[in-house]
Amino acid sequence: MARVICIANQKGGVGKTTTAVNLSASIAAAEKKVLLIDIDPQGNSTSGIGLNKEGVDGTIYHVLLRGSGLKEIIRKTDLAFLDVVISNTDLIGAEVELIQEIDRERKLDRLIKEVEADYDYIFIDCPPSLGLLTINSLTAAHSVIIPLQCEYYALEGLGQLLKTIRLIKQSLNPKLEIEGILLTMFDVRNNLSHQVANEVTKHFKDKVFRTIIPRNIRLSEAPSHGKPVLLYDIHSKGAESYLNLAREIMTDGKINGN
């Protein structure tokens, strides 16, 4: 049975999609069956993994509105153990269209139940907001990874996200846990990066992953080539970091529940 993890932060530009794509790919490289669900209308996980997102009928938007059929829209990727559910700008209207639906917060949860026996891990790339799509993701997930950039104002908005997670746990999904806070965009030459990392670790302690994702040119370039960084340049610091994160998650048993 799959462990379902969403990757969420309402702030944009924190490395959320980079993490969704590269963590999914790194765990798939360990020959674990992985499904990446792109539920962000920008569709960056879709294009970042090398799939076409324009003019496509079978997207997460269509099955959310239909309420079934997730298995039929799953796409293969260049990695044998990694599948993707694609998203595009059609999803922009989904929150408005779903607002009148009964039990609208559990739409994604019901879809995932159709396929959870087929995978070891299911990752959900959330939009940069705390709207209905993110609430659906948090309601469907066992845990949440929170990417946090090592920059000024890094903690801004984190309190609201943690409050939302608490409310979801109380009212919709009692099994929801924080998988961990992932420090991203770390610049070893920058004192501010070290200060932010120290502050976050001091405050959240063992909730912070040991792996820290650096600023890395190859990591930034990979999406424009439609590849996770381990297929673009496996020897880069970015690839090494996400492979380490995958190893940390699997070894610690956080995701697999051991």
Coordinates of all heavy atoms in Angstrom, one line a residue, residues 41-83:
P41 N -1.8 24.1 -11.1 CA -2.2 24.5 -12.5 C -1.1 25.0 -13.4 O -1.2 25.0 -14.6 CB -3.2 25.7 -12.2 CG -3.7 25.4 -10.8 CD -2.6 24.8 -10.1
Q42 N 0.1 25.3 -12.8 CA 1.2 25.7 -13.6 C 1.8 24.5 -14.3 O 2.5 24.7 -15.3 CB 2.3 26.4 -12.7 CG 1.8 27.7 -12.1 CD 2.9 28.2 -11.1 OE1 3.8 28.9 -11.5 NE2 2.8 27.8 -9.8
G43 N 1.6 23.3 -13.8 CA 2.0 22.1 -14.5 C 3.5 22.0 -14.6 O 4.0 21.3 -15.5
N44 N 4.3 22.6 -13.6 CA 5.7 22.5 -13.7 C 6.3 21.2 -13.5 O 7.3 20.8 -14.0 CB 6.3 23.6 -12.8 CG 6.1 25.0 -13.3 OD1 5.9 25.2 -14.4 ND2 6.1 25.9 -12.3
S45 N 5.7 20.4 -12.6 CA 6.2 19.0 -12.4 C 6.0 18.2 -13.7 O 6.8 17.4 -14.1 CB 5.4 18.3 -11.3 OG 6.0 18.7 -10.0
T46 N 4.9 18.4 -14.4 CA 4.6 17.7 -15.6 C 5.7 18.0 -16.7 O 6.3 17.1 -17.3 CB 3.2 18.1 -16.2 OG1 2.2 17.8 -15.2 CG2 2.9 17.4 -17.5
S47 N 5.9 19.3 -16.9 CA 6.9 19.6 -17.9 C 8.4 19.3 -17.4 O 9.2 19.0 -18.2 CB 6.8 21.1 -18.3 OG 6.9 22.0 -17.2
G48 N 8.6 19.4 -16.1 CA 9.9 19.2 -15.6 C 10.3 17.7 -15.7 O 11.5 17.4 -15.6
I49 N 9.3 16.8 -15.8 CA 9.6 15.4 -16.0 C 9.6 15.0 -17.4 O 9.9 13.9 -17.8 CB 8.6 14.6 -15.2 CG1 9.2 13.3 -14.6 CG2 7.4 14.3 -16.0 CD1 10.1 13.5 -13.4
G50 N 9.3 16.0 -18.3 CA 9.5 15.7 -19.8 C 8.2 15.4 -20.5 O 8.2 14.9 -21.6
L51 N 7.0 15.7 -19.9 CA 5.7 15.3 -20.5 C 5.1 16.6 -21.0 O 5.2 17.7 -20.4 CB 4.8 14.6 -19.5 CG 5.3 13.3 -19.0 CD1 4.3 12.7 -18.0 CD2 5.5 12.3 -20.2
N52 N 4.3 16.5 -22.1 CA 3.6 17.6 -22.7 C 2.3 17.8 -21.9 O 1.6 16.9 -21.6 CB 3.2 17.3 -24.2 CG 2.4 18.4 -24.8 OD1 2.7 19.5 -24.5 ND2 1.5 18.0 -25.7
K53 N 2.1 19.1 -21.6 CA 0.9 19.4 -20.7 C -0.1 20.2 -21.5 O -1.2 20.4 -21.0 CB 1.4 20.2 -19.5 CG 2.0 21.6 -19.8 CD 2.5 22.2 -18.5 CE 3.2 23.6 -18.9 NZ 3.7 24.2 -17.7
E54 N 0.1 20.6 -22.7 CA -0.8 21.4 -23.5 C -1.7 20.6 -24.3 O -1.3 19.6 -25.0 CB 0.0 22.4 -24.4 CG 0.9 23.3 -23.6 CD 0.2 24.1 -22.5 OE1 -1.0 24.4 -22.6 OE2 0.9 24.4 -21.5
G55 N -3.0 21.0 -24.4 CA -4.0 20.3 -25.2 C -4.2 18.8 -24.9 O -4.5 18.0 -25.8
V56 N -4.1 18.5 -23.6 CA -4.3 17.1 -23.2 C -5.6 16.9 -22.5 O -6.0 17.8 -21.7 CB -3.1 16.7 -22.2 CG1 -3.3 15.3 -21.8 CG2 -1.8 17.0 -22.9
D57 N -6.3 15.9 -22.8 CA -7.6 15.6 -22.2 C -7.5 14.9 -20.9 O -8.3 15.2 -20.0 CB -8.5 14.7 -23.1 CG -8.9 15.5 -24.4 OD1 -9.1 16.8 -24.3 OD2 -9.2 14.9 -25.4
G58 N -6.5 14.0 -20.7 CA -6.4 13.2 -19.5 C -5.5 13.9 -18.5 O -4.4 13.5 -18.3
T59 N -6.1 14.8 -17.7 CA -5.3 15.5 -16.7 C -6.0 15.3 -15.3 O -7.1 14.9 -15.3 CB -5.1 17.0 -17.0 OG1 -6.4 17.7 -16.8 CG2 -4.7 17.3 -18.4
I60 N -5.3 15.8 -14.3 CA -5.9 15.7 -12.9 C -7.2 16.5 -12.9 O -8.1 16.2 -12.1 CB -4.9 16.2 -11.9 CG1 -5.4 15.9 -10.5 CG2 -4.5 17.6 -12.1 CD1 -5.5 14.5 -10.1
Y61 N -7.3 17.6 -13.6 CA -8.5 18.4 -13.7 C -9.7 17.5 -14.1 O -10.8 17.6 -13.4 CB -8.3 19.5 -14.7 CG -9.6 20.3 -15.0 CD1 -10.2 21.2 -14.2 CD2 -10.2 20.0 -16.3 CE1 -11.4 21.8 -14.5 CE2 -11.4 20.7 -16.6 CZ -11.9 21.6 -15.7 OH -13.1 22.2 -16.1
H62 N -9.6 16.7 -15.1 CA -10.7 16.0 -15.6 C -11.2 14.9 -14.6 O -12.4 14.8 -14.4 CB -10.4 15.3 -17.0 CG -10.0 16.3 -18.0 ND1 -8.7 16.6 -18.3 CD2 -10.8 17.0 -18.9 CE1 -8.7 17.5 -19.3 NE2 -10.0 17.8 -19.7
V63 N -10.3 14.3 -14.0 CA -10.7 13.2 -13.0 C -11.2 13.8 -11.7 O -12.1 13.2 -11.0 CB -9.6 12.2 -12.8 CG1 -9.3 11.4 -14.1 CG2 -8.3 12.8 -12.2
L64 N -10.7 15.0 -11.3 CA -11.2 15.6 -10.1 C -12.7 16.0 -10.3 O -13.5 15.7 -9.4 CB -10.4 16.9 -9.8 CG -9.1 16.8 -8.9 CD1 -8.4 18.1 -8.9 CD2 -9.4 16.2 -7.5
L65 N -13.0 16.5 -11.4 CA -14.4 16.8 -11.7 C -15.3 15.6 -11.9 O -16.4 15.6 -11.5 CB -14.5 17.8 -12.9 CG -13.9 19.2 -12.7 CD1 -14.2 20.0 -14.0 CD2 -14.4 19.9 -11.5
R66 N -14.7 14.6 -12.5 CA -15.5 13.4 -12.8 C -15.6 12.5 -11.5 O -16.6 11.8 -11.3 CB -14.8 12.6 -13.9 CG -15.6 11.4 -14.5 CD -15.1 11.0 -15.8 NE -13.8 10.4 -15.7 CZ -12.7 10.7 -16.4 NH1 -12.8 11.8 -17.2 NH2 -11.5 10.1 -16.2
G67 N -14.6 12.6 -10.7 CA -14.7 11.8 -9.4 C -14.2 10.4 -9.5 O -14.3 9.6 -8.5
S68 N -13.6 10.0 -10.7 CA -13.1 8.7 -10.8 C -12.2 8.6 -12.1 O -12.1 9.6 -12.8 CB -14.2 7.7 -11.0 OG -14.9 7.9 -12.2
G69 N -11.4 7.5 -12.2 CA -10.7 7.3 -13.5 C -9.2 7.7 -13.4 O -8.6 8.0 -14.4
L70 N -8.6 7.8 -12.2 CA -7.2 8.2 -12.1 C -6.3 7.3 -12.8 O -5.4 7.7 -13.5 CB -6.8 8.3 -10.6 CG -5.4 9.0 -10.4 CD1 -5.4 10.4 -10.7 CD2 -5.0 8.8 -8.9
K71 N -6.6 6.0 -12.7 CA -5.7 5.0 -13.3 C -5.6 5.2 -14.8 O -4.5 5.0 -15.4 CB -6.2 3.6 -13.0 CG -5.3 2.5 -13.4 CD -5.8 1.1 -12.9 CE -5.5 1.0 -11.4 NZ -5.7 -0.5 -10.9
E72 N -6.7 5.6 -15.4 CA -6.7 5.8 -16.9 C -5.8 6.9 -17.4 O -5.5 6.9 -18.6 CB -8.1 6.0 -17.4 CG -9.0 4.7 -17.4 CD -9.4 4.3 -16.0 OE1 -9.8 5.1 -15.2 OE2 -9.3 3.1 -15.7
I73 N -5.5 7.9 -16.6 CA -4.7 9.1 -17.1 C -3.3 9.1 -16.6 O -2.5 10.0 -16.9 CB -5.4 10.4 -16.6 CG1 -5.3 10.6 -15.1 CG2 -6.8 10.5 -17.1 CD1 -5.6 12.0 -14.7
I74 N -2.8 8.0 -16.0 CA -1.4 7.9 -15.5 C -0.5 7.7 -16.7 O -0.8 6.9 -17.6 CB -1.3 6.7 -14.5 CG1 -2.0 7.1 -13.2 CG2 0.2 6.4 -14.3 CD1 -2.0 5.9 -12.2
R75 N 0.6 8.5 -16.7 CA 1.5 8.5 -17.8 C 2.9 7.9 -17.4 O 3.3 8.1 -16.3 CB 1.8 9.9 -18.4 CG 0.5 10.7 -18.8 CD -0.1 10.0 -20.0 NE -1.3 10.8 -20.4 CZ -1.3 11.7 -21.3 NH1 -0.1 12.0 -21.9 NH2 -2.4 12.4 -21.7
K76 N 3.5 7.2 -18.3 CA 4.9 6.6 -18.0 C 5.9 7.7 -18.3 O 5.6 8.7 -19.0 CB 5.2 5.5 -19.0 CG 4.2 4.3 -18.8 CD 4.5 3.6 -17.4 CE 3.6 2.4 -17.3 NZ 3.7 1.8 -15.9
T77 N 7.1 7.6 -17.7 CA 8.2 8.5 -17.9 C 9.4 7.8 -18.3 O 9.4 6.5 -18.5 CB 8.5 9.3 -16.6 OG1 9.1 8.4 -15.7 CG2 7.2 9.8 -15.9
D78 N 10.5 8.5 -18.5 CA 11.8 7.9 -18.9 C 12.4 7.0 -17.8 O 13.3 6.2 -18.0 CB 12.8 8.9 -19.3 CG 12.4 9.6 -20.6 OD1 11.7 9.0 -21.4 OD2 12.9 10.7 -20.9
L79 N 11.9 7.1 -16.6 CA 12.3 6.3 -15.5 C 11.3 5.1 -15.3 O 10.1 5.4 -15.1 CB 12.4 7.1 -14.2 CG 13.6 8.0 -14.1 CD1 13.4 9.0 -13.0 CD2 14.9 7.1 -13.8
A80 N 11.8 3.9 -15.3 CA 10.9 2.7 -15.4 C 9.9 2.7 -14.2 O 8.8 2.2 -14.3 CB 11.8 1.5 -15.4
F81 N 10.3 3.2 -13.0 CA 9.5 3.0 -11.8 C 8.8 4.3 -11.5 O 8.2 4.4 -10.4 CB 10.4 2.6 -10.6 CG 10.8 1.2 -10.8 CD1 12.0 0.8 -11.5 CD2 10.1 0.1 -10.2 CE1 12.4 -0.5 -11.6 CE2 10.5 -1.2 -10.3 CZ 11.7 -1.5 -11.0
L82 N 8.8 5.3 -12.3 CA 8.1 6.6 -12.1 C 7.0 6.9 -13.0 O 7.2 6.9 -14.3 CB 9.1 7.7 -12.1 CG 8.6 9.1 -11.9 CD1 7.9 9.3 -10.5 CD2 9.7 10.2 -12.0
D83 N 5.8 7.0 -12.5 CA 4.6 7.4 -13.3 C 4.2 8.8 -12.9 O 4.5 9.3 -11.8 CB 3.5 6.5 -13.2 CG 3.8 5.1 -13.7 OD1 4.7 5.0 -14.5 OD2 3.1 4.1 -13.3

